[in-house]
Amino acid sequence: MRSLSKKELFEGKELDIVGKSISAVTLDSNIVISIYQHEFRSDFRIESSFKIEDTNKDITIEVVFEPFRRDKYTYSGITKLAEIVNCTVVGARVYLDGLLELCFDNGFIITVQPDENYEAWTYTGQSGLLICTPGGVF
């Protein structure tokens, strides 16, 4: 796992989705990455732009989804998210500065930086709710 941050939340312990497969990626007012396996259910709701790094091809793509912009609907990189459906999460960490990092068995790494004005992401998991508030404050 790589990070631009220095200190991990939960003293380096990974989120409880490691070893689970992505069931769906949906778009509503945000991008939602879901894991549903038997009794296990977790969701990431991403509310800001983020990056997907494809380590196999050595490329990084910015994903933008802004359906409520007043001037025009804006999106880019969304189709790349289809490639994580059915992939297994091999790393999932949160850092004290608000960075979220998700690593997948297909070589993709998603990083979501905190946003100064909005909640950048929300995680709903078996152990509770985790929200990256504006500025990355927990």
Side-chain angles (χ1 to χ4, degrees):
M1 268 241 186
R2 294 176 285 149
S3 173
L4 304 175
S5 296
K6 295 177 179 43
K7 184 123 171 109
E8 299 164 351
L9 196 62
F10 309 124
E11 299 176 356
K13 184 178 177 187
E14 303 214 41
L15 298 176
D16 57 0
I17 63 165
V18 173
K20 306 280 194 265
S21 295
I22 301 300
S23 303
V25 175
T26 56
L27 306 175
D28 54 27
S29 59
N30 307 118
I31 294 173
V32 182
I33 299 172
S34 301
I35 299 168
Y36 306 114
Q37 290 182 337
H38 308 289
E39 299 295 317
F40 187 91
R41 178 180 176 165
S42 292
D43 292 300
F44 285 95
R45 180 170 285 278
I46 302 174
E47 302 179 32
S48 64
S49 300
F50 61 93
K51 295 189 183 317
I52 298 176
E53 179 183 353
D54 183 341
T55 61
N56 297 316
K57 296 180 181 175
D58 199 28
I59 59 170
T60 301
I61 297 167
E62 183 168 10
V63 177
V64 177
F65 181 64
E66 298 173 342
F68 299 117
R69 282 190 58 181
R70 290 181 183 218
D71 51 346
K72 75 176 201 176
Y73 177 78
T74 305
Y75 64 92
S76 65
I78 292 173
T79 57
K80 196 71 172 163
L81 287 169
E83 294 182 49
I84 67 168
V85 175
N86 294 322
C87 287
T88 301
V89 179
V90 295
R93 293 195 179 169
V94 177
Y95 296 84
L96 288 176
D97 65 359
L99 178 79
L100 170 66
E101 184 177 67
L102 303 173
C103 299
F104 302 91
D105 65 350
N106 69 344
F108 281 26
I109 300 172
I110 291 178
T111 54
V112 185
Q113 296 285 345
D115 189 292
E116 289 300 315
N117 301 308
Y118 306 103
E119 296 172 347
W121 55 267
T122 301
Y123 172 65
T124 306
Q126 297 297 102
S127 54
L129 182 67
L130 187 58
I131 301 169
C132 180
T133 58
V137 178
F138 288 99

